[in-house]
């Protein structure tokens, strides 16, 4: 594994960092590929680089199986249950992927199956799609492939919040996506505050770097703050204090320059 990368976060102290032998704190980074950025809340899905070969093998095996066992006419009437893992045909590349059914619309009569739709999330990538009609676009997933855990996990940027307006959220999302989507990043899991765990907010909190050498590059959240695209979470629920102070410094400069979400001044009512 490169740079001590690992799947699960190690035990950390109260500030979310691990002391090394000298007593200093070091970051515990995981090398990931950002597969999908959600349209709000600074959430995204990422795959561990070390699982890349397993993911490729899974994809080849599933598509080979579906070619050798194409959905029959009866499969066109297949009605998966909510929460069921299925094989779903992605419209962009016409390939089969593992997916989870999250919503169904059965408004069409049985004789008009083309009016039915199934909403799925591709569990190895994090994106979703509404698959309309029958035609065998959703099929039962081979049991041995259903046993494998999802290759994508959902995260969110820790210590920052979206702006107040829809256009601000969209601009922050677009910029975040341009920085990270389909790119290799270095991810540090942060601790989950009890208040967040109880709130039902999804996505594991994390910080992101585009380089493993963090001394020479700011993290992604700092970049967004510097551009005035997001704001600091005043409660510092997740990130280490030193990083939170960096966040506040970046936000002050963006506020002083009236960038983006600060174009009309400070709307938060929080003294910085």
């Amino acid at each position: 594994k490169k740079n001590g990368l690992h799947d699960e976060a190690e035990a950390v102290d109260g500030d979310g960092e691990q002391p090394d032998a000298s007593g200093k704190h070091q970051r515990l980074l995981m090398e990931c590929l950002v597969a999908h950025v959600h349209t709000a809340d600074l959430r995204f899905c990422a795959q561990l680089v070390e699982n890349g070969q397993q993911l490729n093998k899974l994809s080849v095996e599933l598509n080979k199986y579906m070619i050798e066992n194409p959905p029959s006419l009866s499969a066109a009437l297949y009605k998966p249950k909510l929460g069921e893992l299925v094989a779903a045909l992605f419209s962009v590349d016409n390939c089969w992927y593992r997916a989870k059914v999250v919503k169904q619309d059965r408004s069409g009569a049985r004789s008009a199956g083309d009016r039915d739709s199934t909403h799925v999330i591709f569990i190895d990538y994090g994106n979703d799609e509404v698959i309309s009609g029958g035609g065998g676009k959703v099929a039962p997933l081979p049991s041995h492939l259903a046993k494998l855990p999802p290759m994508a996990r959902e995260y969110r940027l820790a210590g920052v919040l979206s702006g107040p307006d829809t256009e601000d959220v969209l601009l922050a999302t677009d910029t975040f996506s341009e920085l990270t989507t389909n790119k290799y990043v270095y991810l540090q899991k942060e601790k989950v505050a009890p208040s967040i765990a109880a709130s039902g907010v999804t996505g594991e909190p994390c910080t992101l770097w585009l380089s493993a050498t963090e001394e020479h590059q700011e993290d992604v959240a700092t970049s967004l703050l510097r551009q005035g695209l997001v704001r600091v979470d005043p409660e510092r629920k997740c990130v280490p204090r030193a990083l939170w102070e960096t966040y506040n410094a970046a936000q002050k400069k963006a506020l002083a320059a009236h960038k983006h979400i600060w174009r009309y001044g400070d709307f938060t009512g929080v003294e910085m």
Side-chain angles (χ1 to χ4, degrees):
K1 299 179 183 180
K2 290 176 61 180
N3 302 314
L5 306 176
H6 54 85
D7 190 4
E8 297 296 331
E10 311 236 351
V12 296
D13 70 2
D15 266 349
E17 294 185 319
Q18 176 73 28
D20 61 17
S22 68
K24 296 180 180 180
H25 287 83
Q26 60 179 345
R27 305 301 286 174
L28 298 173
L29 302 178
M30 301 185 297
E31 189 177 12
C32 299
L33 178 71
V34 175
H36 178 69
V37 172
H38 295 290
T39 54
D41 303 329
L42 303 172
R43 292 179 298 117
F44 64 97
C45 291
Q47 306 156 339
L48 281 175
V49 169
E50 63 186 35
N51 290 339
Q53 289 186 347
Q54 184 180 8
L55 177 58
N56 289 337
K57 180 180 178 182
L58 187 159
S59 179
V60 169
E61 185 173 352
L62 175 58
N63 280 274
K64 182 175 184 291
Y65 176 88
M66 297 306 296
I67 290 172
E68 295 174 349
N69 303 273
S72 62
L73 183 61
S74 61
L77 301 177
Y78 171 57
K79 307 295 184 185
K81 300 177 182 178
L82 285 177
E84 184 177 348
L85 293 182
V86 298
L89 196 65
F90 186 37
S91 63
V92 174
D93 59 10
N94 218 35
C95 290
W96 291 92
Y97 297 95
R98 298 194 305 164
K100 182 177 181 179
V101 177
V102 295
K103 187 177 180 181
Q104 294 170 311
D105 181 1
R106 300 303 181 213
S107 58
R110 182 172 292 275
S111 60
D114 58 340
R115 291 164 53 192
D116 291 349
S117 65
T118 302
H119 187 180
V120 300
I121 292 178
F122 296 100
I123 63 172
D124 299 314
Y125 296 87
N127 58 312
D128 66 329
E129 184 165 66
V130 176
I131 301 175
S132 299
K137 297 177 183 177
V138 178
L141 183 67
S143 58
H144 68 288
L145 295 181
K147 295 177 182 179
L148 298 173
M151 295 295 171
R153 297 183 68 168
E154 185 179 70
Y155 301 93
R156 58 184 171 79
L157 287 184
V160 292
L161 303 171
S162 298
D165 300 327
T166 300
E167 63 181 62
D168 295 325
V169 173
L170 291 176
L171 181 57
T173 300
D174 287 346
T175 304
F176 180 37
S177 182
E178 288 175 6
L179 281 172
T180 62
T181 301
N182 293 325
K183 294 180 181 177
Y184 294 108
V185 299
Y186 295 86
L187 183 151
Q188 163 68 39
K189 291 184 182 180
E190 304 294 355
K191 63 179 181 178
V192 180
S195 58
I196 293 180
S199 70
V201 174
T202 61
E204 296 182 67
C206 71
T207 46
L208 282 183
W209 282 268
L210 300 181
S211 167
T213 310
E214 60 183 279
E215 294 84 0
H216 301 102
Q217 188 169 23
E218 64 188 8
D219 68 292
V220 171
T222 299
S223 177
L224 297 176
L225 286 162
R226 183 172 47 77
Q227 297 175 68
L229 297 172
V230 297
R231 57 194 172 101
V232 175
D233 181 349
E235 298 187 29
R236 196 181 76 85
K237 296 174 181 176
C238 300
V239 299
R241 179 172 299 279
L243 191 55
W244 190 69
E245 291 173 352
T246 299
Y247 288 178
N248 274 284
Q251 176 170 291
K252 285 182 179 180
K253 290 181 179 179
L255 173 59
H258 294 277
K259 292 184 176 181
H260 294 297
I261 66 173
W262 310 111
R263 55 191 175 275
Y264 303 122
D266 187 0
F267 58 87
T268 65
V270 177
E271 183 177 351
M272 290 185 287

